Amino acid sequence: MTAPAIVLVAGGPDEAPVTDAFRLIAASLRKARPDLRIRLARLGGVSPALPDVIADLANHDVGEAVLVPLDLVSAAGHDEELDTFPHSPDIHIAVSRPIGPASEVLNILDERVREALHRGGALEVDGLVLSAPAGGDVRGTSLLGRRARQWSAHHRLPVQVAVDDGDGRATAAAVASLRGQGRRHIAVGSVYLTPTGAYVNQQQAALRAGAIAVTAPVGDTAHLGRLILARYAFGAMELLDGTPTQLKVDDLDGEE
């Protein structure tokens, strides 16, 4: 029997930069794992729609698929569309945990901070902001706070968390708070997967508030690919016992 297909499920606006970023993530994963069927599906009426992607897999005699939500701020919850969309009974579906604010995300942010500092010609950092979009679940928000504490301990620098509603105000306030403590070389690590309007707003707000560097979106990285495959592996295991249900939430801190 062939391995279940991976369906990367992504929200976000129907904008070319966002779509291109998701397509690049899917393409890199296909290159890394040519043995797996890997598809991209979009939510909220954006093409390719999830029901169409699943129908196409079923038409190609694929009997199982694992849906992996590309969400960096939720640890357990996912869009209700993943539970309610119509699909053929001939294909069994499991929904994995979202990518979430896993500890591996800090490795990505470290890489992105170095890139941002290099672009800006900066050499010194004395404060950090962990910026993320609003909309995550309670567990995800808690983990974001834990990641900030871990990031702070690793670099021995103060870290402020900013959960932004899309206008950049929370990020600007976090930068201002660090500046109020006497910090003048502040970098913002953005836990945004793609360059959405919300990402651009927090980037511009951070720079206006005095940040010297703001990271690019997480986008396509080997770290993200490993996280996707880890979520897929647990989902595929769930399908083995014939009960394709939502996976239980474990403690992410000890997993990655």
Side-chain angles (χ1 to χ4, degrees):
M1 184 175 181
T2 58
I6 303 178
V7 180
L8 307 177
V9 184
D14 188 11
E15 299 172 353
V18 175
T19 298
D20 290 346
F22 284 132
R23 286 175 177 170
L24 183 58
I25 291 168
S28 293
L29 200 61
R30 291 187 191 103
K31 184 176 180 180
R33 290 298 304 269
D35 56 312
L36 296 175
R37 290 178 184 260
I38 299 169
R39 301 292 182 88
L40 172 66
R42 302 292 301 276
L43 301 176
V46 181
S47 179
L50 179 58
D52 295 338
V53 171
I54 296 300
D56 183 65
L57 288 172
N59 289 337
H60 285 84
D61 297 323
V62 175
E64 297 176 330
V66 178
L67 311 185
V68 181
L70 298 183
D71 177 353
L72 295 179
V73 294
S74 295
H78 56 256
D79 193 293
E80 65 178 12
E81 186 176 338
L82 274 65
D83 297 318
T84 59
F85 74 95
H87 61 276
S88 167
D90 296 329
I91 184 167
H92 300 289
I93 304 294
V95 182
S96 83
R97 285 203 312 268
I99 301 301
S103 57
E104 186 79 0
V105 170
L106 295 182
N107 294 325
I108 301 172
L109 290 184
D110 281 339
E111 292 179 357
R112 294 289 185 255
V113 166
R114 287 192 292 269
E115 293 167 359
L117 292 173
H118 179 73
R119 286 195 304 269
L123 299 176
E124 181 183 356
V125 173
D126 60 8
L128 293 165
V129 173
L130 185 69
S131 173
D137 56 20
V138 173
R139 178 64 174 149
T141 301
S142 175
L143 282 175
L144 278 173
R146 182 166 297 186
R147 298 304 172 230
R149 294 190 293 273
Q150 291 173 332
W151 211 24
S152 176
H154 178 70
H155 292 290
R156 298 180 182 177
L157 292 173
V159 176
Q160 292 278 333
V161 179
V163 178
D164 239 309
D165 287 326
D167 56 13
R169 292 181 182 178
T171 302
V175 173
S177 177
L178 287 171
R179 287 182 63 82
Q181 300 170 31
R183 308 289 169 168
R184 292 296 178 266
H185 305 280
I186 300 163
V188 177
S190 303
V191 189
Y192 288 75
L193 190 55
T194 63
T196 59
Y199 164 80
V200 173
N201 287 342
Q202 63 90 38
Q203 178 191 44
Q204 294 175 345
L207 294 173
R208 287 195 299 268
I212 63 169
V214 180
T215 65
V218 168
D220 173 42
T221 73
H223 297 293
L224 180 66
R226 286 193 291 269
L227 286 170
I228 291 171
L229 291 173
R231 297 291 181 262
Y232 164 74
F234 279 96
M237 288 176 60
E238 173 128 333
L239 284 170
L240 288 176
D241 65 7
T243 56
T245 58
Q246 167 66 14
L247 295 177
K248 134 181 122 166
V249 178
D250 298 317
D251 187 347
L252 297 183
D253 302 313
E255 183 185 323
E256 281 95 23

